[in-house]
Amino acid sequence: MSRARQPPLVTGISPKEGAAWTKVTIRGENLGTGPADLIGLSICGHNCLLTAEWMSASKIVCRVGPAKDDKGEIIVTTKSGGLGTSTVSFKLLRPERIGILDQSAVWVDEMNYYDMRTDRNKGISPLSLRPSNPLGIDIDKGKIPQSDMELTFPGMSGDFTSENFSATWYLIENHAGSSFEQLKIAASNLKKQATKKNEGSLAYVKGGLSTFFEAQDALAAIHQRLESDGTERVEGSMTQRLENILNRASDTADTLFQEVLGRKDKADSTRNALNVLQRFKFLFNLPLNIERNIQKGDYDVVINDYEKAKSLFGNTEVPVFKKVYAEVETRIGALRSLLLEKLLQTPSTLHDQKRYIRYLSDLHAPGDPAWQCIYAQHKWILQLMQNCREEFISGQRVGVGALDLEGDTRLLALGRLSHTASLKRGGSLRTPRPSTWRFETPQQVQFVEKLSDVVIGQLPNFWKLWISYVNGSLFSEVNTTWAACGVRKKPCIQHTLNNLFKMIEEITNRLVKLIRGALLPTTLPQGELNLFGGWENKTELTGAWLTQIIHTVRACHDALSSMEIPNDLLQVIHDLLLELRVHCLMVTLLHTTEDVKRLAEKEDWVVDNEGITALPSQFEQCMVQMLQSLKEPLEIKSGEINVRESPVFINCLEQLSTKTDRDIDTSHNCQYLERHTFLNLADHFEKHGFTGTEKITRVSVDAVRELDRKLFESYIERRADPIAGSLEPGIYAGYFDWRDCQTPTGVRNYLKEALVNIITVHAEVFTVSKDLVPRVLSKIVESVADEMCRLMQCVSSFSKNGALQARLELCALRDAIAAYLNAESNASFKLALDALPQLHSGADKKLLEELLNKFKSSMQLQLTCFQPSSVQPVKR
């Protein structure tokens, strides 16, 4: 381990000098633990890592690049040892470059014309090789723009290899600042180069002149011999024999060396094949490398290799290269299909989607993968929403499955999207609940929350992907164009906008319809109930659960609004919220009405010292609880309608009078409601933000007064009618006749019985509230007085004793209840007395007075209750 951490040390290199691209062997110590450990290699300052082949810790083979320095050290850098040192140096020889038209007796290495750029290995034409400085003087680039040069020299070029070469252009472009002396030196250099070129051709001819002379002498000798023989046209001549001898010699040589030459040709072929394989091993190994890298998931490596092979062999005419390249295309086609399948696979993250789109774009996949991904995501979100409904409808708990697998990411996305206090970063639509929440919460509430999680968890990535697709950032991230991504031209923005808006609208409409089907099925068309309904057997929701649903839908709307989705697409959610708020308001009020109705059943009718039962207090508590539960549906969010403007108030107080023997208590409760409870409720309404409480109070007071009037009239009728109805039978009991009766001896029993009944009503009312006694007894007395007046007026004639008896009873009744007489009662008694004959004798008047005193004396205890008193009623 200590040796592995020592820096590399180069102790030898072979050969020690050579031209660019010379293959050298480097030896030393600690040259790395493997190919991956070698991270740097420079010779004479040139980076040679690209051509380096690590052989062992003491040996590396590479090619020397075209370094700037003629001589320099060999520096090796490894991960384990860092930057190394060298004890030897390499000398770079710079041979004179041979032009494409220069004659040469040796083979020119093609490597000199091969561009070793790291991004793409592309062959360059030898025509592009030219002397960098043909004039041999310092280059001084001018600052004249290229466009100005083209205008000044139309149709000309500053490239001296071009047919339209302009010397003036070249001098202005490369030697604008050169002096006249320097230009003279440049002209001299050009002359020397021309002279050297001519001398080179002449020297080449001189060097082969002796060969030409020898060939000329041999041809002349042959010609002379043929002329001396003179038989060149006769069969069997010397030339013919010579040809035959040569042919036999050739056949004999072929027979002797055929096997050897065959083995040589085979060896040469094998050697050539190995050379080809070695030289183009990148292409031949590419199919296998593609398969391995695909299995490892190194798609970037596959794409880079494919681009390199396409640039080098895409247009090759060599059959073997075409065959191998066709296999590469087959593997790449399979990779395109694999990547497209992964792209359309759901669920997937936005990062993975963009990555697969980039891969497909680099591979020039046909069609538009990005749009295919958008469409697949849209269909998947719709299916998730429908699956959510199906699982709840079928009674399956949504605790396991695809929906919960995405739960955490969706809730995190929801926390990031929402700006409301309830949706904190990393939060959820749901508040913390006990472990038994899932068994206590109605299915509809769980469904709405789960459905909102699905939409908010998936729609942001869908929206972001589409925005990147439309504005082009999806493709600019991968440094490519629309055409390179399979899209022949940039898609119509308006067309794609319309398509996306339709997708978003379909998702929001599906969300709204699914919620309507669970909560407001009557708002759906009959044809859509089978698709979105089916909640008839589920529990009916109370106002509290509806309030929680409204909170969930509002949070969902806020999260979607934060994504900058157009408000037109979210209007359906606004409409749903309005209907949910109204529905929650109606359900809460109806339930409150039922609770108010049941208050009468819970009433124990125990009154306090003020004659008030617990009913008004319970009613006030019920209304306060209702106001608190309506806080969420009545709250007005941005863009929502104020439902308080809807005239929704329910009058349920009439249901309180369910006990016939307690009507007077209810009537007094109504007065307490008017004077106290409604004023307290008005304060509660104002505290909860309600306006126009005066109108509410006025309407409520009017309703209570009307109820009080009906209850009072009902009570009076129920109590006064029996008393008044008993008068006539009592008067004529025993066949009594006003025209034939005895001298009066006192007030008859029927009148005493009527007074006792009035006293009973007095006691009943006084027990509840003494303040109600005058109001009730005055009406009772009025009814009795009216009945007595009617009975007296119906008598056709009175005898003397009959008149005295009638006046006695009328006066006794009037004097007994004098404290509760009103104008109507006095008028009735006056009419009744006027209907009687007048008393003229003093004896009759005296008798009347004695009998009245006797009556008052005998019933003094009973008549005491009709006298004013400050005694408070005793609580029962």
Side-chain angles (χ1 to χ4, degrees), residues 151-337:
L151 293 175
T152 306
F153 304 97
M156 305 303 290
S157 172
D159 185 0
F160 53 80
T161 61
S162 174
E163 295 180 357
N164 300 326
F165 172 70
S166 173
T168 307
W169 184 332
Y170 180 82
L171 290 176
I172 294 175
E173 184 178 18
N174 298 282
H175 301 282
S178 300
S179 63
F180 183 71
E181 295 297 330
Q182 289 177 326
L183 293 178
K184 289 171 64 177
I185 295 174
S188 177
N189 291 337
L190 286 176
K191 292 179 180 179
K192 290 179 180 179
Q193 292 179 16
T195 303
K196 183 178 179 181
K197 184 175 181 181
N198 294 332
E199 290 177 352
S201 300
L202 183 59
Y204 181 78
V205 174
K206 290 180 179 179
L209 190 58
S210 59
T211 304
F212 294 150
F213 289 158
E214 292 176 359
Q216 176 65 26
D217 292 342
L219 290 175
I222 294 173
H223 180 69
Q224 184 179 2
R225 182 71 178 270
L226 290 174
E227 286 182 348
S228 63
D229 189 9
T231 59
E232 62 274 16
R233 297 184 181 273
V234 180
E235 184 177 356
S237 64
M238 181 185 65
T239 55
Q240 184 66 37
R241 291 195 302 272
L242 179 60
E243 181 181 0
N244 293 334
I245 292 172
L246 291 176
N247 289 335
R248 286 196 302 270
S250 176
D251 294 337
T252 302
D254 290 341
T255 302
L256 294 175
F257 297 100
Q258 184 175 7
E259 184 179 355
V260 177
L261 294 176
R263 289 198 300 269
K264 178 180 179 300
D265 292 340
K266 186 176 181 180
D268 292 340
S269 299
T270 303
R271 190 179 301 105
N272 293 335
L274 291 175
N275 290 336
V276 172
L277 289 175
Q278 181 65 24
R279 183 173 181 182
F280 300 100
K281 63 180 180 179
F282 165 75
L283 177 63
F284 293 111
N285 294 335
L286 186 57
L288 182 59
N289 291 337
I290 289 177
E291 192 68 28
R292 291 175 179 175
N293 290 325
I294 289 177
Q295 293 178 359
K296 292 189 296 183
D298 294 338
Y299 302 121
D300 288 309
V301 177
V302 175
I303 293 172
N304 290 335
D305 290 346
Y306 173 66
E307 288 291 334
K308 180 179 178 181
K310 186 176 182 180
S311 64
L312 294 175
F313 306 101
N315 299 322
T316 183
E317 296 298 333
V318 180
V320 64
F321 291 167
K322 292 177 66 175
K323 182 177 180 180
V324 177
Y325 185 75
E327 179 65 22
V328 172
E329 287 289 355
T330 302
R331 302 293 177 91
I332 294 298
L335 177 60
R336 292 192 188 105
S337 301

Side-chain angles (χ1 to χ4, degrees), residues 42 49 306 308 328 417 541 588 679 706 737 762 776 785 843:
S42 64
L49 182 62
Y306 173 66
K308 180 179 178 181
V328 172
L417 286 173
L541 299 182
T588 303
L679 297 179
E706 180 64 18
D737 189 357
H762 179 280
V776 173

Side-chain angles (χ1 to χ4, degrees), residues 554 578 581-582 585 627 630-637 640-649 684-693 695-696:
R554 275 179 169 166
L578 176 60
R581 292 164 63 199
V582 173
L585 180 65
L627 290 175
L630 292 180
K631 182 178 180 181
E632 178 80 16
L634 290 177
E635 185 179 1
I636 305 173
K637 297 291 185 178
E640 295 182 353
I641 299 176
N642 186 2
V643 297
R644 297 173 184 171
E645 298 176 358
S646 302
V648 183
F649 247 100
H684 287 297
F685 272 95
E686 291 180 357
K687 289 179 181 179
H688 285 82
F690 283 89
T691 58
T693 54
K695 181 179 179 181
I696 297 176

